Amino acid sequence: MKQSIGDFTQDELRDVIKPAFRVKQIWQWMYHKYAIDFSHMKNLPKELATFLEERYTICPLEIVTAQESVDGSIKYLFRLDDGHTIEAVLLLMRDEQYHQDGTLKHHKRYTICLSSQVGCKVGCAFCLTAKGGFVRNLTPSEIVYQVLMIKKINAIDANRRVNIVYMGMGEPLDNLDNVAKAIKILSDPDGMSISASRQTISTSGLSAKIAKLGSMQLGVNLAISLHAVDDALREKLMPINKAYNIESIIHAVKDFPINERKRVMFEYLVIKDINDDIASAKKLLKLLDGIKAKVNLIYFNPYDGTLFQRPSKKSMESFQEYLTKRGLLCTIRESKGLDISAACGQLREQYLE
Ligand code: SAH
Ligand code: SF4
């Protein structure tokens, strides 16, 4: 099967495509003009277009369906070449704002949430993606083209800034090589130019891979899905904790190179009567002592068949207040796209039924 040209960095393509300036032209067609057909690349010599067509495909996925939320976020289901499906979400973080005279003050601000694998090996008890087991890693182009297709479909200009979070389906650090390559391709100034400092990897806490990611010096941000403050509970919720316990994660985070102006994000999925008590907030505060951290509390988003429940607004707010009053930055994640079931795996599940 032909490989997508989106799997390669510019350096890699320059080894195959001569003269080198043609690579930049091809990239401009792909990443600035969103061309998904070599024959549309008008300034390429015919022989080169034919050579490319014989050797590569471009876009490795197609859109199956989209669901728009009342808050303006849109969730996409994509089908890959081998028929498997993955989800990605365009999150509208801030709408357009205008001055009184009607001129534009701020553009819309977007974050795109990407999948890194079909399924996931980690098997967290609360996660729908885990239910279907692990199928396979995504290739670099399958990661990159989630962003590109979402920008193309929504006519988001190539130079309009977007943020990227690897918080869709899959564990990004379990597919580190391909994710790292996607980060490089996405951040290339000749391509989509989404600098690594605008990209955040979310991990269930594969401590050894956090260390490896740090040593790669990509400049990417880190988010840890912590969800529990003692090992016994965390093991129940996230079996990966048997291999990498909380202490090992904290250790890896302390060694991780972060930009001076950034913080490591700790995601804490709040589940009613499981981890929503103030004693947990107290332990969390202690655990994060000495780390430049921010905490993001997430409402558990229920789905058919789960025994876990969404916490009350009151317990979320008390938890947050406990931390903020003691100087730990803590936000409650707005339940963006709740009406379209934004938590990973849920659109796919509906579609498979
Ligand atoms: N595997 C990585 C990244 C993908 S999961 C990780 O676990 O960090 C992204 C986020 O979705 C995680 O923080 C996870 O806790 C959250 N999530 C999973 N199931 C959820 C649900 N039912 N409701 C709300 N958030 C959920
Ligand atoms: Fe995998 Fe993340 Fe879901 Fe856990 S929460 S099963 S690590 S996708």
Side-chain angles (χ1 to χ4, degrees):
M1 208 159 87
K2 282 190 273 187
Q3 228 181 320
S4 163
I5 192 164
D7 282 328
F8 302 100
T9 61
Q10 285 202 83
D11 277 348
E12 288 169 336
L13 289 176
R14 281 191 207 106
D15 289 341
V16 187
I17 298 165
K18 309 277 180 206
F21 75 90
R22 293 288 180 204
V23 172
K24 200 163 173 167
Q25 285 181 330
I26 296 165
W27 266 47
Q28 283 171 349
W29 281 109
M30 290 167 64
Y31 298 118
H32 295 175
K33 297 180 195 155
Y34 307 149
I36 49 173
D37 197 321
F38 290 116
S39 67
H40 296 164
M41 302 181 180
K42 299 280 180 245
N43 56 356
L44 299 186
K46 200 149 181 16
E47 315 80 72
L48 178 56
T50 311
F51 168 82
L52 294 172
E53 236 152 66
E54 282 168 359
R55 210 173 164 112
Y56 306 108
T57 59
I58 301 187
C59 181
L61 38 79
E62 60 180 15
I63 173 171
V64 180
T65 183
Q67 270 183 2
E68 186 161 1
S69 151
V70 287
D71 67 17
S73 300
I74 309 175
K75 186 164 200 170
Y76 293 92
L77 187 71
F78 290 111
R79 187 182 296 112
L80 310 174
D81 285 341
D82 60 4
H84 291 299
T85 50
I86 51 161
E87 293 178 10
V89 191
L90 176 68
L91 297 156
L92 181 62
M93 306 307 280
R94 192 183 65 193
D95 217 338
E96 272 164 352
Q97 285 175 11
Y98 294 89
H99 293 288
Q100 274 183 344
D101 65 3
T103 54
L104 188 68
K105 190 174 171 191
H106 292 298
H107 284 283
K108 288 180 180 173
R109 196 186 281 165
Y110 297 107
T111 293
I112 300 178
C113 174
L114 301 184
S115 290
S116 55
Q117 298 178 315
V118 183
C120 185
K121 282 181 207 160
V122 178
C124 301
F126 49 79
C127 175
L128 201 50
T129 297
K131 300 272 179 283
F134 173 74
V135 180
R136 70 169 173 85
N137 283 330
L138 295 187
T139 60
S141 60
E142 286 167 340
I143 299 170
V144 167
Y145 268 81
Q146 293 172 59
V147 182
L148 197 140
M149 289 309 280
I150 285 180
K151 289 188 84 173
K152 182 179 167 83
I153 294 162
N154 291 282
I156 300 172
D157 203 70
N159 58 26
R160 175 104 293 120
R161 281 188 184 160
V162 296
N163 291 339
I164 303 286
V165 291
Y166 295 83
M167 290 185 188
M169 298 165 60
E171 167 50 56
L173 294 190
D174 189 33
N175 184 18
L176 182 52
D177 290 346
N178 290 351
V179 168
K181 198 158 176 196
I183 290 168
K184 282 185 198 153
I185 295 172
L186 286 167
S187 63
D188 190 318
D190 288 331
M192 272 187 282
S193 196
I194 305 169
S195 85
S197 65
R198 295 190 164 274
Q199 303 189 45
T200 301
I201 289 196
S202 173
T203 176
S204 55
L206 281 66
S207 308
K209 292 288 178 69
I210 294 172
K212 179 147 186 239
L213 176 68
S215 73
M216 290 173 150
Q217 299 284 351
L218 296 173
V220 75
N221 304 309
L222 186 64
I224 304 289
S225 287
L226 194 64
H227 311 330
V229 285
D230 62 74
D231 284 317
L233 175 61
R234 198 165 189 275
E235 271 177 27
K236 278 191 205 148
L237 297 175
M238 310 175 74
I240 187 80
N241 199 74
K242 290 181 193 135
Y244 300 108
N245 66 11
I246 296 176
E247 196 192 337
S248 79
I249 296 172
I250 297 294
H251 192 78
V253 167
K254 284 185 172 159
D255 284 346
F256 191 82
I258 47 161
N259 185 310
E260 266 179 34
R261 285 165 300 152
K262 301 277 172 132
R263 290 167 186 272
V264 173
M265 191 208 279
F266 286 83
E267 295 164 278
Y268 191 90
L269 180 70
V270 187
I271 309 174
K272 189 179 176 199
D273 298 336
I274 302 276
N275 62 358
D276 59 351
D277 54 304
I278 292 299
S280 297
K282 199 171 173 178
K283 275 194 190 164
L284 183 58
L285 186 75
K286 212 168 143 203
L287 200 61
L288 300 186
D289 187 37
I291 297 178
K292 254 183 87 184
K294 65 180 171 197
V295 172
N296 197 210
L297 302 177
I298 309 165
Y299 280 97
F300 173 71
N301 193 12
Y303 48 87
D304 275 355
T306 180
L307 296 174
F308 295 125
Q309 291 175 298
R310 186 181 159 87
S312 68
K313 190 160 181 261
K314 189 166 169 289
S315 63
M316 284 294 261
E317 285 170 355
S318 313
F319 201 109
Q320 181 191 30
E321 195 185 282
Y322 183 91
L323 298 178
T324 38
K325 273 201 173 150
R326 286 157 186 83
L328 181 54
L329 201 66
C330 176
T331 50
I332 296 178
R333 186 182 296 170
E334 281 180 63
S335 37
K336 288 221 165 277
L338 191 64
D339 58 319
I340 52 165
S341 43
C344 54
Q346 300 192 4
L347 178 60
R348 178 170 179 255
E349 186 82 359
Q350 279 172 20
Y351 204 78
L352 291 174
E353 275 169 4

